[in-house]
Amino acid sequence: MERILVSGNEAIVYGAIDAGCNFYAGYPITPSSEIMHLMASLLPRHNGVFIQAEDELAAINMVVGASWAGARAMTATSGPGFSLMQEGLGYAVMTETPLVLVNVMRAGPATGQATKPGQGDVMQARWGRHGDQYIPVIAPLNPQEAYDYTVWGFNVAEELRTPVVVAIDEFIGHGREVVFRKRGVERVYRRKPSGREPSFGSDDPRIAPPMPILGEGYYVLVTGSTHNEYGYRDVHSFETHYKLVTRLKEKIWGNMDKLFKYRVYGEPGSASKAIVCYGSTCRSALEAWSKVKEDTLLVRLVTLWPIDYVLLRKLLASVEKVVVPELNLGQVIYDVMACVDTSVEVVGLNKIGGGIPIYPSEVIKALKG
């Protein structure tokens, strides 16, 4: 391994390059711009292609096109840029296009406070596209995990033919720590079709269909409209649409055992209080838990989508009170509420704006209050 002192944004770039990323298209926007700047410097040295697009709409569609040409492709953005990329991201879902999109969250809505952290994009990351669709959303804790989970995100995207969102916030993006950069990281590559194997259908919905590469002689139709397993448009049939969209859901939801990552601190079943957290707020939550851990459970969500509600319900089965710290006005708290009895007190610890973190003392106060 190589030790490097980098920010979370820079760690994502090194993770992407080590994962085999060879195409990046993006548009500068605070606080994600360092990802684009470092990609512009490093990617050409690794036989990759970097493009500064005219806007975020162009960037996400360039990434989709590059992926169909065989590239391991990514982009990064923040705030309004993430909103602009939603249509292209939805097209990637429908066409089963592997890509990685990094969203460095900031305080919104609109322009908001562009230089300040936030966690207000959780629901948008899950549901920002129209229609029924599901994509993995990962929330690293620090620069090291920003590196590790970017690598993992590329492998998930390639294996399942899906977009993957890596969601960090400005605290992590601009925070600078030592990161261990791995040599020879494992790379998963998309399957290619054999003969007339369909490119948009699979006997096992948990397994992604093979993906032909444009320019290599495959006969393939790619459309964002409803299509059958060979890519032919069918915009009238209930059966075709239902079969396609339910398979796209099951490709994500059916791989819950692979996709849902979490960490548990404490003893499930014996604690009367719990903390459920994700992203940068977990650092304060972990410090708080270390001081009150005798009767407290901490559940850290690494994967924000899909969430294994059955497992989360089991972990929280014994608790009487749950504190959910978030740099928003409450989003993941609703998942927690869905996993506990109505008699359980669920407390949101929320801050927005100003670049002020949630402090460990505040988490302890919420637990005891």
Side-chain angles (χ1 to χ4, degrees), residues 26 61 154 195 299 357 368:
N61 285 292
F154 271 95
V299 180
K368 294 181 177 180

Side-chain angles (χ1 to χ4, degrees), residues 63-343:
V63 168
V64 170
S67 184
W68 274 98
R72 292 166 79 92
M74 75 168 287
T75 186
T77 189
S78 182
F82 191 47
S83 300
L84 288 170
M85 289 186 177
Q86 293 303 323
E87 183 182 2
L89 200 56
Y91 181 81
V93 171
M94 194 61 150
T95 57
E96 299 182 72
T97 305
L99 61 89
V100 172
L101 193 165
V102 178
N103 179 28
V104 186
M105 294 183 287
R106 70 192 209 187
T111 304
Q113 294 181 335
T115 64
K116 301 298 187 289
Q119 292 179 322
D121 299 352
V122 174
M123 290 302 181
Q124 186 187 23
R126 295 178 182 178
W127 303 113
R129 286 70 52 200
H130 60 281
D132 292 295
Q133 43 71 45
Y134 299 77
I135 63 175
V137 182
I138 310 166
L141 170 68
N142 52 33
Q144 180 66 62
E145 288 197 357
Y147 172 90
D148 294 334
Y149 286 120
T150 297
V151 173
W152 184 60
F154 271 95
N155 287 340
V156 168
E158 292 286 320
E159 179 182 355
L160 297 182
R161 275 187 65 182
T162 180
V164 172
V165 172
V166 178
I168 62 173
D169 62 49
E170 188 273 338
F171 280 141
I172 300 171
H174 288 162
R176 190 168 293 271
E177 295 179 355
V178 170
V179 169
F180 291 91
R181 187 180 182 188
K182 302 173 178 64
R183 300 187 185 277
V185 299
E186 179 185 2
R187 296 180 184 176
V188 175
Y189 292 93
R190 68 193 74 167
R191 290 192 303 124
K192 293 184 179 180
S194 174
R196 283 285 290 164
E197 189 177 3
S199 301
F200 296 98
S202 175
D203 293 334
D204 184 347
R206 286 170 46 94
I207 300 175
M211 184 175 180
I213 304 303
L214 299 181
E216 292 188 352
Y218 294 100
Y219 177 77
V220 60
L221 299 171
V222 182
T223 176
S225 297
T226 298
H227 48 272
N228 67 12
E229 60 267 32
Y230 289 100
Y232 288 95
R233 294 174 75 249
D234 185 350
V235 296
H236 301 291
S237 167
F238 159 81
E239 289 81 5
T240 301
H241 189 79
Y242 186 82
K243 181 179 180 181
L244 170 63
V245 176
T246 53
R247 181 181 64 78
L248 294 179
K249 174 193 174 180
E250 190 60 25
K251 187 174 63 170
I252 305 302
W253 215 254
N255 281 293
M256 184 73 73
D257 56 334
K258 293 181 181 179
L259 295 177
F260 183 61
K261 291 185 178 292
Y262 64 100
R263 303 284 186 273
V264 176
Y265 301 83
E267 295 296 329
S270 61
S272 65
K273 298 179 181 179
I275 306 166
V276 178
C277 59
Y278 59 95
S280 67
T281 57
C282 290
R283 302 182 72 144
S284 293
L286 283 166
E287 177 67 21
W289 175 82
S290 70
K291 300 180 185 302
V292 296
K293 58 185 178 182
E294 292 179 358
D295 190 37
T296 305
L297 180 74
L298 187 145
V299 180
R300 184 203 154 198
L301 303 179
V302 178
T303 302
L304 294 182
W305 200 249
I307 287 180
D308 190 336
Y309 291 111
V310 175
L311 175 59
L312 188 57
R313 190 172 294 115
K314 289 179 180 177
L315 292 173
L316 300 176
S318 70
V319 303
E320 300 171 1
K321 182 176 184 177
V322 186
V323 173
V324 188
E326 300 185 76
L327 293 175
N328 56 47
L329 294 180
Q331 296 191 19
V332 169
I333 190 172
Y334 296 108
D335 297 299
V336 176
M337 288 178 175
C339 292
V340 297
D341 293 335
T342 54
S343 60

